[in-house]
């Protein structure tokens, strides 16, 4: 599974960005191998419509889930339109966020 | 017709006061049209007993998507600079509040799926308020993000027949102010002699220069630290046209909705003389 995480930097130890639309990067993490691809978020510097534009970035990367902080209403609609689920996490680092999410999912299953 | 914009970087420096005084003084000899371009918060009409009532609705282009015709090719999404259009798997999503009415999407759509819709953004008011003086203003609808379509429309409606048009600019130095000042023969920058005043005046003067409009400065509430403005004006070779002293009596009139055009003699003469010299 490809998990997208809004991130302040380009490594698994980077902080999770608390704002979905304007985060500087997304890390697209492969949940099996923990290999990741950092993707620059062009929406971080856009004047308007950042939320939906960020959703488009994740859609293009083929990820169906994003771990992040706050998601605005426009971003929510766009994510829903693309069929991407947004999960709010409170973890510090990207690694913790992914591991925490996978652990939760396991117990749920 | 000579067009004069009354602008400032900072808000509350006295643009409306100067615009109304100048319009009234000029209307004693000429036909004058006063345009209140501060469409987010117009206030010139407060100072006239016969406030304009004639209304005209202003609409802007708003794309209407025919979902039957749209095949989700994504061309409109590529061309939209404002992130309004998103192609989902089986439909097009449109975020209308971000639309800048550029018509790009309609132009590029190969399916003809986008048609000419429209959306009201505000109203125009205009009428004769005094002998030889006609006032036009616009009021933007609550929740609108862009003031420029209304300012454009106000300026477009300006017919010939007047000798002078006075544009009361919105505060600031961004798009609405630039839209107002562009194409004017002269700009009067109204500034206060305070650190905030000079900071914003510098930005406004830069914008006006970029637009190629000659300008002069009126110092309002003069008497304190005038030298911070004088120094800047000297450095940039911009003339100080007039100094309006602080006057409690004038402020009392103002608070009752009265602007006495003769209160500070010489204001109009100096502005006109300087404008004609340039
Ligand atoms: S009119 Fe322009 S801004 Fe509005 S949706 Fe179309 S391309 Fe985007
Ligand atoms: S350009 Fe036309 S056909 Fe293509 S996605 Fe946009 S509206 Fe649909």
């Amino acid at each position: 599974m490809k998990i997208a995480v809004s991130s302040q930097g380009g490594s698994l130890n980077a902080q999770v960005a608390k704002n979905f639309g304007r985060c500087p990067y997304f890390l697209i993490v492969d949940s099996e191998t923990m290999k990741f691809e950092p993707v620059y978020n062009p929406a971080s510097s856009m004047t308007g419509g950042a939320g939906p534009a960020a959703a488009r970035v994740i859609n293009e990367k083929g990820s169906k889930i994003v771990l992040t902080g706050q998601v605005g209403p426009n971003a929510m609609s766009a994510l829903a339109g693309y069929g991407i689920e947004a999960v709010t996490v409170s973890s510090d680092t990207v690694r913790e966020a992914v591991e925490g999410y996978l652990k939760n999912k396991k117990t749920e299953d | 017709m000579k067009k004069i914009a009354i602008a400032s970087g900072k808000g509350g420096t006295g643009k409306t006061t100067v615009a109304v005084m100048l319009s009234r003084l000029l209307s004693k000899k000429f036909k004058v049209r006063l345009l209140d371009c501060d469409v987010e918060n117009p206030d010139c009409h407060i100072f006239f007993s016969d406030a304009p009532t004639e209304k005209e609705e202003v609409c802007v282009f708003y794309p209407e998507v025919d979902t039957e015709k749209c095949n989700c090719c994504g061309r409109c999404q590529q061309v939209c600079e404002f992130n309004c259009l998103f192609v989902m798997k089986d439909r097009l999503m449109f975020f209308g509040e971000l639309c800048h009415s550029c018509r790009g999407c309609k132009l590029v759509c190969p399916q003809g799926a986008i048609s000419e819709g429209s959306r009201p953004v505000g109203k125009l008011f205009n009428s004769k308020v005094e002998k030889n003086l006609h006032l036009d203003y616009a009021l933007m609808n609550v929740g609108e993000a862009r003031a420029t379509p209304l300012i454009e429309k106000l300026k477009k409606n300006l017919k010939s027949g007047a000798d002078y048009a006075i544009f009361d600019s919105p505060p600031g130095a961004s798009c609405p102010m630039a839209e107002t000042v562009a194409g004017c023969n002269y700009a009067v920058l109204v500034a206060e002699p305070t650190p905030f005043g000079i900071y914003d005046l510098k930005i406004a003067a830069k914008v006006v220069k970029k637009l190629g409009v000659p300008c002069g400065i009126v110092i309002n509430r003069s008497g304190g630290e005038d030298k911070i403005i004088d120094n800047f004006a000297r450095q940039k070779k911009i003339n100080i046209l007039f100094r309006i002293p602080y006057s409690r009596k004038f402020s009392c009139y103002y608070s009752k909705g009265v602007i006495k055009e003769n209160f500070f003699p010489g204001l109009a003469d100096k502005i006109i003389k300087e404008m004609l010299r340039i």
Side-chain angles (χ1 to χ4, degrees), chain B residues 10-176:
Chain B
K10 190 180 167 297
T13 58
K15 286 178 297 299
T16 299
T17 305
V18 172
V20 171
M21 285 197 287
L22 186 60
S23 302
R24 280 208 174 116
L25 289 168
L26 285 171
S27 71
K28 299 201 188 326
K29 276 194 213 149
F30 305 98
K31 279 207 165 78
V32 180
R33 198 118 186 178
L34 171 59
L35 269 68
D36 191 345
C37 296
D38 189 0
V39 302
E40 288 174 74
N41 195 9
D43 58 353
C44 287
H45 59 282
I46 295 170
F47 302 100
F48 296 94
S49 44
D50 278 328
T53 47
E54 209 179 291
K55 283 182 216 165
E56 180 191 337
E57 185 140 81
V58 179
C59 293
V60 294
F61 169 78
Y62 197 65
E64 254 164 36
V65 184
D66 184 338
T67 45
E68 297 285 302
K69 285 188 188 160
C70 171
N71 65 1
C72 295
C73 73
R75 290 286 295 280
C76 56
Q77 167 183 303
Q78 274 169 9
V79 83
C80 181
E81 271 290 318
F82 302 98
N83 291 326
C84 313
L85 296 155
F86 289 84
V87 176
M88 306 287 158
K89 220 169 34 227
D90 52 355
R91 73 198 156 97
L92 186 67
M93 201 179 249
F94 175 50
F95 292 96
E97 73 273 24
L98 303 171
C99 178
H100 280 51
S101 307
C102 73
R103 283 193 170 82
C105 50
K106 181 171 182 259
L107 276 171
V108 299
C109 177
Q111 304 299 321
I114 295 180
S115 59
E116 184 86 20
S118 80
R119 193 171 63 85
V121 290
K123 283 192 181 68
L124 296 192
F125 299 78
N126 84 83
S127 71
K128 194 175 161 189
V129 282
E130 277 170 17
K131 187 169 172 267
N132 280 341
L133 180 55
H134 200 107
L135 172 66
D136 298 72
Y137 75 96
L139 185 59
M140 190 159 99
N141 288 349
V142 172
E144 278 307 318
R146 291 190 318 128
T148 43
L150 285 162
I151 300 171
E152 256 169 46
K153 184 77 184 168
L154 271 175
K155 288 177 77 171
K156 216 168 133 193
N157 277 6
L158 184 66
K159 291 169 202 84
S160 51
D163 304 307
Y164 283 94
I166 310 297
F167 299 174
D168 187 13
S169 164
S174 58
C175 301

